[in-house]
Amino acid sequence: MTDTGATEPLTVLVTRPEPGGSATAAALRAAGYVPVLAPCLEIEPLPVALPTLVDGIVIASTQALPGLPPALRAVPLFAVGDATAARARAAGFIDVASAAGTARELAALLGERLAPGARLLLACGAGHSMDLAADLRGRGFRVTRRVVYRSRPARQLDAAAQAALEAGEIDRVMVFSPASARRFVTLITEAGLDGALAGAIAVAISPAAAAPLTRLPFRDIRSAVSPDQDHMITILA
């Protein structure tokens, strides 16, 4: 483990699926960490017909962005947090507003910015954002929820990640969702690598993402005070 002294950077295993995993790796390098990618989910875009006459687009994950066509980039977009908002701007969306990181805060932001009766496109993953849709409808919005992607469990750990685990090089493990956490536990157990985590610390985006990780012998499990990447990075050290 590289956590025994102050001279070597910590090595961080990133379980986030692409394209977010590479973005997290870049942020970690900029902060002085050594990232190792180990996506535990695979994202599959889904073709779907989307409404074009809407007053706002709502996304609770960056994974929804590839499913939004260029024709919608002039429509105001409301993102769950700053990182998602930044990715939306990079994708070409012109008018982007950011909530403070949770679906509840995203719904509140829309309540402040748009009048009841506004037409909203909620782009999300399979099985996601149903509570958000209900919250928005309860506020008087006309919500069209469309599933633009789904996630599938990764079949195995990335070879480089497995090698790093076997060599005892992993100091931290970042987990961005309960689904990723559950799959990570399964992959680690199937590979017989439980013991490789005895000296490592897990950093989860939320308590819900942290819960499945208690099945592994981490030295500590930490949850971000706000569910976003920036707050996760602040508790890595």
Side-chain angles (χ1 to χ4, degrees):
M1 304 291 290
T2 60
D3 199 14
T4 56
T7 59
E8 296 185 31
L10 297 176
T11 299
V12 182
L13 194 72
V14 180
T15 64
R16 190 180 189 185
E18 293 294 6
S22 292
T24 297
L28 288 171
R29 290 189 194 97
Y33 296 100
V34 177
V36 177
L37 291 177
C40 291
L41 301 175
E42 298 172 356
I43 303 300
E44 178 186 1
L46 298 176
V48 61
L50 300 177
T52 55
L53 296 176
V54 294
D55 301 305
I57 299 169
V58 186
I59 60 169
S61 170
T62 58
Q63 305 293 359
L65 287 169
L68 299 173
L72 292 175
R73 288 177 183 164
V75 177
L77 184 143
F78 298 85
V80 69
D82 291 342
T84 304
R87 290 286 297 277
R89 294 186 187 98
F93 285 88
I94 300 168
D95 184 359
V96 180
S98 173
T102 69
R104 181 175 298 178
E105 289 162 331
L106 179 54
L109 174 66
L110 282 147
E112 295 169 0
R113 298 289 184 89
L114 297 178
R119 300 162 297 180
L120 300 178
L121 167 61
L122 173 55
C124 62
H128 293 268
S129 294
M130 289 179 284
D131 288 345
L132 175 57
D135 190 345
L136 292 170
R137 290 183 180 120
R139 295 171 185 266
F141 295 113
R142 291 182 285 170
V143 180
T144 300
R145 178 178 171 272
R146 289 289 182 268
V147 174
V148 296
Y149 71 92
R150 66 184 170 194
S151 60
R152 296 180 298 182
R155 285 173 285 186
Q156 60 188 16
L157 284 169
D158 181 85
Q162 181 157 338
L165 285 161
E166 290 172 346
E169 296 174 351
I170 299 303
D171 302 302
R172 303 289 186 267
V173 177
M174 294 181 75
V175 179
F176 286 77
S177 72
S180 285
R182 291 190 294 269
R183 188 56 183 165
F184 179 71
V185 171
T186 298
L187 292 174
I188 289 293
T189 303
E190 289 177 347
L193 290 169
D194 306 54
L197 298 171
I201 294 174
V203 174
I205 197 168
S206 67
L213 301 176
T214 59
R215 293 168 51 193
L216 297 174
F218 283 108
R219 176 157 60 93
D220 189 20
I221 299 174
R222 303 169 181 171
S223 297
V225 296
S226 182
D228 59 66
Q229 176 177 284
D230 290 345
H231 283 87
M232 293 174 74
I233 290 176
T234 63
I235 58 173
L236 282 174

